[in-house]
Amino acid sequence: MESELAALANLAASAVVSGLATAGWESAQRAIGDLWRRAHPERADTVVAELGEARADVLAARRDGDERAERELVGEWQTRLRRLLAAHPEMLPDLRRIVDEMGPPERRPDRRGGISVTAHASGGSRINVAGRDLTVDGR
């Protein structure tokens, strides 16, 4: 069970740290804040604030190409999430949901009926793929 907790905590930490670097970062902050509000309401506001600081750190790491700093952030949140799960194993489904919603595409649930596109270009070729509207400027 401990290895399952560690693996899930790692996936969740990676998803959350990556999510902090996106436009939807507040959903990552809200999801983790909700877990802490249930488990440790007295510390939830602090954790939410620390996620805001982590966002600044991950944005700086990506701007500077500092992969080590980003890995350290993932490690920090992995430890926190593993401890949370060890103390509150009833939160396993909630953390799995966070991974499913925010994790890398290969970890998200299979969405039957979706569209998969693979394109290969070579030489002077150009490929334009869009899920909806597409504007191509010939410049």
Side-chain angles (χ1 to χ4, degrees), residues 63-135:
R63 180 192 65 235
D64 299 340
D66 189 351
E67 293 177 14
R68 184 182 58 85
E70 190 167 346
R71 281 192 310 271
E72 288 173 357
L73 280 170
V74 170
E76 175 186 337
W77 286 98
Q78 177 184 0
T79 299
R80 289 175 171 212
L81 292 168
R82 185 183 45 76
R83 287 180 181 155
L84 183 73
L85 287 176
H88 298 278
E90 72 277 7
M91 292 187 172
L92 273 166
D94 299 304
L95 207 55
R96 281 191 185 108
R97 180 185 44 77
I98 289 170
V99 170
D100 289 344
E101 291 174 0
M102 298 172 46
E106 64 273 10
R107 285 289 305 151
R108 294 182 187 154
D110 186 18
R111 305 278 191 238
R112 301 271 182 229
I115 296 172
S116 176
V117 176
T118 303
H120 300 276
S122 63
S125 301
R126 182 188 303 183
I127 298 172
N128 298 299
V129 178
R132 224 188 97 133
D133 299 334
L134 174 68
T135 302

